[in-house]
Amino acid sequence: MTTVSAIDREKGTAFLPRFDAQGLLIAIAVDSITREILMVAYMDEEALAKTRETGLAHFHSRSRGKLWLKGETSGHFLRVQETRVDCDQDALVMLVKPEGPACHTGATSCFYRKLEGEELAPIAG
Amino acid sequence: MTTVSAIDREKGTAFLPRFDAQGLLIAIAVDSITREILMVAYMDEEALAKTRETGLAHFHSRSRGKLWLKGETSGHFLRVQETRVDCDQDALVMLVKPEGPACHTGATSCFYRKLEGEELAPIAG
């Protein structure tokens, strides 16, 4: 077993993804052109491997307990163009080319509302 | 006990944050000017309440098991200017004014490296 220190993760050049106690890390998808945040979900080791192998974003569905190819039913795949890694390597930002609305509601982004007091209001544009 | 349906969460105007089995939701901080993703962490109910009350981003530290005011030691607070909510209300995007580098390494953003093959490379700019 190899021990990986916090310094290795922060300063090193090795990709050493840190999955949490549930075996997950956070993966944020951002439109590579508009830089809008499209969605956020979780990846386990399998989803990360499939994403890297295919270039299409895969996640781990916690509700269904299984691998989830984003777009598998809608055809709205997210093509990964660049993957960024945070300091402690437990979160990723993927710059993607979306092949349709990223949200299952039909919205471009899942973040289509903002908090105004106790209520939610649509985001203009 | 009130039952909240998926439709209420997706289409309604009520803020009904959905904490997971660990009592957490994902909170992403984005620079309100540059739109760069600065960091991502978790909020529990207490951290969300404190953030809304003070206008300063608070998180729940899973490693320390307690409330964490971002900037409490560094002074690099994140002033929340807008909070966006995703379709199923289990993730937030905060547009913030950072009062210093968001990353404890001194980087503007925690996402200062990208994946190139099996290695990590600095992000230019």
Side-chain angles (χ1 to χ4, degrees):
Chain A
M1 184 178 156
T2 310
T3 305
V4 178
S5 74
I7 295 293
D8 291 336
R9 280 215 164 79
E10 286 178 9
K11 304 289 182 192
T13 58
F15 182 46
L16 302 164
R18 189 160 72 94
F19 298 95
D20 71 7
Q22 280 76 47
L24 303 173
L25 45 77
I26 292 173
I28 303 167
V30 174
D31 187 302
S32 61
I33 305 293
T34 67
R35 297 297 166 124
E36 186 178 14
I37 297 178
L38 301 175
M39 59 173 291
V40 60
Y42 292 94
M43 281 185 183
D44 61 1
E45 200 164 358
E46 182 187 20
L48 176 61
K50 282 283 183 190
T51 299
R52 298 181 74 191
E53 185 187 315
T54 64
L56 298 175
H58 289 68
F59 301 100
H60 175 79
S61 167
R62 295 194 298 175
S63 56
R64 287 176 285 161
K66 64 172 195 169
L67 185 69
W68 160 37
L69 165 59
K70 172 66 188 169
E72 63 194 348
T73 54
S74 65
H76 301 156
F77 301 104
L78 300 175
R79 295 198 178 272
V80 180
Q81 304 191 304
E82 184 177 311
T83 300
R84 298 182 174 187
V85 183
D86 80 342
C87 48
D88 56 1
Q89 303 204 34
D90 62 359
L92 306 177
V93 166
M94 297 178 291
L95 303 186
V96 304
K97 180 174 180 293
E99 302 210 332
C103 188
H104 73 285
T105 62
T108 305
S109 160
C110 292
F111 295 91
Y112 51 82
R113 293 169 299 183
K114 63 180 172 183
L115 196 50
E116 285 191 350
E118 291 305 311
E119 300 247 302
L120 299 179
I123 293 169
Chain B
M1 187 180 152
T2 310
T3 305
V4 179
S5 74
I7 296 292
D8 291 336
R9 280 214 164 79
E10 285 178 9
K11 303 290 181 193
T13 57
F15 182 45
L16 302 164
R18 189 159 72 93
F19 297 96
D20 71 7
Q22 280 76 47
L24 303 174
L25 44 74
I26 292 174
I28 303 167
V30 174
D31 187 301
S32 61
I33 305 292
T34 66
R35 298 296 166 126
E36 185 177 16
I37 297 178
L38 300 175
M39 59 172 291
V40 59
Y42 291 94
M43 281 186 185
D44 61 1
E45 201 164 356
E46 181 187 20
L48 176 60
K50 282 284 184 190
T51 300
R52 298 180 74 193
E53 184 187 316
T54 63
L56 298 175
H58 288 69
F59 300 99
H60 175 79
S61 166
R62 296 195 298 177
S63 56
R64 287 175 286 161
K66 64 171 194 168
L67 185 70
W68 159 37
L69 164 59
K70 171 67 188 169
E72 63 194 349
T73 53
S74 64
H76 301 157
F77 302 104
L78 300 175
R79 296 198 176 272
V80 181
Q81 304 191 306
E82 184 177 310
T83 300
R84 298 181 174 188
V85 183
D86 80 341
C87 48
D88 56 1
Q89 302 203 34
D90 62 0
L92 305 177
V93 166
M94 297 177 291
L95 304 186
V96 304
K97 180 175 180 292
E99 302 209 332
C103 188
H104 73 283
T105 61
T108 304
S109 161
C110 292
F111 296 91
Y112 50 82
R113 292 170 299 183
K114 64 180 173 182
L115 196 50
E116 285 192 349
E118 292 304 311
E119 300 248 304
L120 299 180
I123 293 168

